[in-house]
Amino acid sequence: MPGENLSRDEARERAALLSVDGYDVSLDLRSAVGDGNGEPRTFRSVTTIRFRCNEPGAASFADLIAPSVTSVSLNGRDLDPGEVFDGSRIALDDLAAENELVVDAQCAYSRTGEGLHRFVDPEDGEVYLYTQYEPADSRRVFANFEQPDLKAPYRFEVQAPEGWTVWSNGAGELADGVWKFAETKPISTYITCVVAGPYHYVTDSYTRTFEDGTKLEIPLGAMCRKGLAPHFDADDVFLVTKQGLDFFHDHFDYPYPFGKYDQAFVPEYNLGAMENPGLVTFREEYIFRGKVTQASYEGRANVVLHEMAHMWFGDLVTMEWWDDLWLKESFADFMGTFANVGATRFKDAWITFANRRKAWAYRADQLPSTHPITADIRDLEDAKLNFDGITYAKGASVLKQLVAYVGQDAFLEGARRYFKRHAYGNTRLGDLLSVLGETSGRDMSAWARSWLQTAGVNSLTPQVLLDAEGRVAELAVVQEAPEAHPEERPHRVAVGLYRRTPEGALERYARVETDVHEPRTVVADLAGAEAPELVLVNDDDLTYCKIRFDDTSLATLKEHLGALTDPLARALCWSALWNMTRDALLPARDFVALVLRFAGRESDIGVLQMLHAWANSALVHYAAPAWRETGGELLAEGALRELEAAEPGSEHQLAWARFFATVASGETDLALLKGLLDGTEAIDGLEVDQELRWAFLEPLAAHGVADESVLAAELARDDTASGKRHQVRCLAARPSAAVKAQAWAQVVESDALSNALVEATIAGFDQPSQRELTAPYAEKYFAAIERVWRERSIQIGMDVVRGLFPALQDRAGTLEATDAWLEAHRDAAPALRRLVLESRDDLARALRAQECDATAAGH
């Protein structure tokens, strides 16, 4: 990634000097289908930029990453590309007050999901293209000023192979062999977009009549590869889309401003989705090839609504620089769940948020790389890594608390003023705080200092004193902060008291909302209440904190967690117990025992699937090594028991089947999986569709039961892009030194694989049952990562550095090797060091948890 970075200081200097009036971008993509002489590598890109300079005679630069530049013209003056283009920047000297820059370049097709990605469908040989830019990859497709605060309108035109359709942000039409698109509103470079190819395309429309009688009509479209068309439930996508548009129009009082609303589900996509106005892109895995649970549909709806919220938070009003990335991502993450609950059939989405999204935030906020929600983003590499659990899920959690703090009406009125005041502009933190202060009547600066400008997560623990009659004499909430981030914050919390009913249900009988802002806060309104069996200090999940339990509450949960009738309270308790396991306060085997005892009674399918993931992580990372085999047998036995007991054909049965495959390792378990695949075994109601077949094949491959010929036969059965990814993962999972050497070489020593196949190979490489087999690669990892980071794209660099860290070599020697690398590479790229530091912290946490688990076994 040499020479491709852009610093915040450089961006500020350029923004102070330049303003952009418009872009004309012409792309010739006819080379995409190839000419029979190997894979096409480049396409022609011609860009005209009209811009002003407020200091005539000054110098600046434009951004472009391209194999070659044919010509550069500035104000009619031809510049020598060899002199002004260095591979990532075009030097611009002696600027006039008004300028026109024309750049004719050969840009590269991407295989890493960055820039213009080219994908060949193995099923039918068709070629599909799409762009993905955030934070700064539009410069791989056309010359520009690649920073969010130099907004401008764009006019795109595209030449494409015959028979293709092309889409961009604006409405398009084909005329004389060229696709021409309507000029956009002023937007940032990173949200421009082009999608091209023989996509399967479905249309619909949305109509809204406002109170003043004006009518808004939005053409809707949704697309995917032709091979996925039989599985594409576009009607459900359109349903959620219309529900979301209604919801945001009701609450934002600002009509959707970008004309049409297309949604493209594209292959080999690195992200979940991207909020390009008028043309949102999604990973095609949101089109389900097999049976999935309602949690998957809820998750897709949440992403659809998250991206839709960006049309206002991020596209209409955009952060000035990546420091304030949260101004779009935290809001979209909050609004996705807020709209899911308020507009769709997924009324329990806040449970998913509490259980899944917050788990992401809690982990990120305890890493050495944690940062305030308003982060210090020095450059583009920093920006790339800050699309993390802090910016998304912690920020959304803090906004959820802000709604409780200022009230929903004041919060939404603040949003409405923010859109109207800053439409098509760029903002900083102060701009948002200003409108929220106006609408709430509160001083937002102290709140912002505590919640947005400091890092770390607080723990809240109840203290209960009973009087002689067994009633609550005093109930207090103790707030603690980690040593590295000793900030105590104002928390708006609900404290719930729970007891068992005569029928055995564990139910809430008292609830008080209060503000916790001291190290110890007495909840006076609960004095005199009956003695609780369980105290839940963040009931209803109003604040962002780690919940702890007093001894009585913990003992109650160990015996009666399944009796908690409220699904949100139950999810919060599970989350708290998981945090205790990660923090080495609860032995991993105790958490596994709780899952085995109570998960079968969990009604919320999303919570159940999260419990499966946590239980597996507890076994793989946090259990004492001597207990792993026993723990694995217990989990496999429990999973099979619940699988056989589940209602035939239910989503719970499907979830338990997938979990059983994850933990199966014994000869009997593997024989059952093999029998389910070949039809000699059956479980009533369980349909083993193609996706489930691959889920069963991975453990069979990892344990040497399914060899290369079996996997080749399965690929012949499922000769699709999805099938290829599954096969590659299973091939890399096989327990052979030669297999591991080949997988390592394909990912680390070669750049021949696409991003999706790199990801699949890494996923198969490191198997928990193969720790000894992959041990030699710990040393190779540290020898390779600096070169990989230097030579590969940042996305592939991140995949390799994160995915191949020797986390399963969980012993002190690996920790020492990591520390030695960090000490010897103090001058390595800060983003690379951050990734290694994060992995080191995960490993150290695992070793502490293993020690806790081993100590518990000793007692």
Side-chain angles (χ1 to χ4, degrees), residues 36-368:
N37 297 316
E39 296 285 300
R41 299 183 61 85
T42 63
F43 58 93
R44 187 183 183 194
S45 169
V46 181
T47 306
T48 301
I49 314 176
R50 297 172 300 281
F51 65 100
R52 285 166 285 148
C53 175
N54 60 27
E55 295 180 18
S60 189
F61 62 92
D63 301 295
L64 176 68
I65 297 174
S68 66
V69 172
T70 306
S71 64
V72 180
S73 169
L74 177 62
N75 299 329
R77 174 167 48 99
D78 290 336
L79 307 180
D80 183 349
E83 292 183 4
V84 299
F85 179 59
D86 65 2
S88 61
R89 295 184 180 185
I90 300 170
L92 305 175
D93 294 325
D94 194 23
L95 293 172
E98 296 185 359
N99 301 272
E100 182 175 274
L101 174 68
V102 182
V103 179
D104 188 343
Q106 288 293 316
C107 294
Y109 293 109
S110 169
R111 298 199 70 211
T112 66
E114 301 153 294
L116 180 62
H117 188 80
R118 178 180 180 272
F119 173 79
V120 181
D121 193 333
E123 189 173 359
D124 55 18
E126 295 280 18
V127 175
Y128 295 89
L129 304 178
Y130 65 85
T131 59
Q132 170 56 36
Y133 297 149
E134 192 174 38
D137 284 319
S138 65
R139 56 192 171 148
R140 297 181 186 275
V141 177
F142 61 94
N144 57 53
F145 300 115
E146 185 81 282
Q147 58 191 79
D149 57 342
L150 287 177
K151 285 184 161 183
Y154 293 78
R155 288 194 297 251
F156 283 92
E157 64 176 43
V158 179
Q159 290 177 275
E162 188 175 350
W164 276 26
T165 305
V166 184
W167 295 264
S168 187
N169 304 88
E173 61 179 6
L174 180 62
D176 299 323
V178 179
W179 289 88
K180 296 186 177 182
F181 296 91
E183 184 174 72
T184 71
K185 300 287 189 180
I187 57 176
S188 300
T189 52
Y190 74 92
I191 49 176
T192 59
C193 186
V194 171
V195 173
Y199 284 88
H200 169 72
Y201 185 58
V202 186
T203 61
D204 202 335
S205 63
Y206 168 85
T207 303
R208 170 89 176 195
T209 302
F210 296 99
E211 290 183 359
D212 63 1
T214 58
K215 195 172 184 179
L216 176 67
E217 293 187 7
I218 304 174
L220 305 179
M223 70 197 80
C224 67
R225 289 185 295 114
K226 290 191 292 187
L228 282 176
H231 309 286
F232 192 20
D233 53 339
D235 287 349
D236 192 50
V237 172
F238 287 139
L239 172 64
V240 172
T241 301
K242 294 174 185 178
Q243 290 170 330
L245 287 168
D246 273 339
F247 184 85
F248 290 130
H249 282 127
D250 287 343
H251 289 83
F252 288 170
D253 190 32
Y254 196 107
Y256 171 73
F258 297 111
K260 68 182 180 68
Y261 200 87
D262 281 323
Q263 296 174 94
F265 294 80
V266 297
E268 298 191 323
Y269 202 55
N270 289 323
L271 312 177
M274 185 65 210
E275 67 268 18
N276 315 302
L279 182 52
V280 182
T281 42
F282 298 83
R283 64 186 301 119
E284 69 178 18
E285 285 79 1
Y286 286 122
I287 298 173
F288 308 119
R289 297 200 315 151
K291 182 179 179 180
V292 296
T293 69
Q294 281 302 302
S296 295
Y297 290 100
E298 180 192 314
R300 182 176 70 185
N302 193 282
V303 174
V304 167
L305 296 169
H306 173 117
E307 303 309 322
M308 188 179 293
H310 272 312
M311 299 300 124
W312 291 266
F313 284 109
D315 294 359
L316 177 67
V317 184
T318 311
M319 71 276 156
E320 186 175 293
W321 176 249
W322 302 101
D323 291 349
D324 282 313
L325 175 62
W326 80 281
L327 279 174
K328 73 184 188 75
E329 294 301 347
S330 298
F331 275 87
D333 218 46
F334 169 79
M335 285 292 172
T337 303
F338 184 55
N340 226 1
V341 172
T344 77
R345 63 189 184 273
F346 303 109
K347 301 304 180 186
D348 290 332
W350 283 122
I351 297 176
T352 305
F353 180 86
N355 198 241
R356 184 178 294 271
R357 298 301 283 182
K358 279 193 164 182
W360 182 29
Y362 294 143
R363 175 189 175 272
D365 213 6
Q366 296 173 85
L367 290 169

Side-chain angles (χ1 to χ4, degrees), residues 554-584:
L554 185 56
T556 297
L557 290 173
K558 287 182 176 181
E559 294 298 323
H560 306 291
L561 175 54
L564 256 177
T565 55
D566 182 80
L568 177 56
R570 206 166 54 242
L572 291 170
C573 289
W574 278 119
S575 177
L577 292 165
W578 176 240
N579 279 319
M580 291 174 65
T581 306
R582 295 186 72 249
D583 291 345

Side-chain angles (χ1 to χ4, degrees), residues 520-716:
R520 188 175 188 272
T521 301
V522 175
V523 187
D525 289 348
L526 289 174
E530 293 182 29
E533 294 180 80
L534 168 66
V535 180
L536 191 52
V537 294
N538 186 28
D539 213 349
D540 297 323
D541 197 36
L542 299 184
T543 193
Y544 171 80
C545 72
K546 289 196 291 188
I547 298 170
R548 300 299 197 209
F549 300 109
D550 63 297
D551 291 343
T552 299
S553 296
L554 185 56
T556 297
L557 290 173
K558 287 182 176 181
E559 294 298 323
H560 306 291
L561 175 54
L564 256 177
T565 55
D566 182 80
L568 177 56
R570 206 166 54 242
L572 291 170
C573 289
W574 278 119
S575 177
L577 292 165
W578 176 240
N579 279 319
M580 291 174 65
T581 306
R582 295 186 72 249
D583 291 345
L585 298 175
L586 182 71
R589 66 190 66 200
D590 287 4
F591 184 82
V592 168
L594 286 165
V595 171
L596 289 171
R597 184 171 181 183
F598 298 120
R601 299 171 63 179
E602 179 53 58
S603 59
D604 187 287
I605 191 64
V607 172
L608 176 62
Q609 290 176 284
M610 199 76 230
L611 292 178
H612 290 161
W614 287 344
N616 189 55
S617 290
L619 176 68
V620 171
H621 297 294
Y622 302 146
W627 186 75
R628 283 181 189 139
E629 184 176 351
T630 300
E633 291 171 355
L634 291 171
L635 278 176
E637 290 171 7
L640 182 56
R641 183 173 59 250
E642 296 294 346
L643 168 59
E644 293 175 335
E647 179 184 346
S650 67
E651 59 182 0
H652 281 67
Q653 183 189 54
L654 177 62
W656 283 109
R658 288 186 168 277
F659 182 53
F660 174 67
T662 300
V663 296
S665 61
E667 186 177 335
T668 303
D669 297 336
L670 297 171
L672 174 58
L673 291 178
K674 189 172 183 296
L676 289 169
L677 282 173
D678 63 27
T680 59
E681 297 276 2
I683 294 175
D684 186 24
L686 183 66
E687 179 187 349
V688 185
D689 60 28
Q690 188 59 62
E691 288 295 292
L692 197 54
R693 290 182 64 85
W694 285 115
F696 289 174
L697 273 166
E698 183 173 355
L700 293 175
H703 291 282
V705 178
D707 62 16
E708 185 172 4
S709 64
V710 171
L711 299 175
E714 195 66 29
L715 180 62

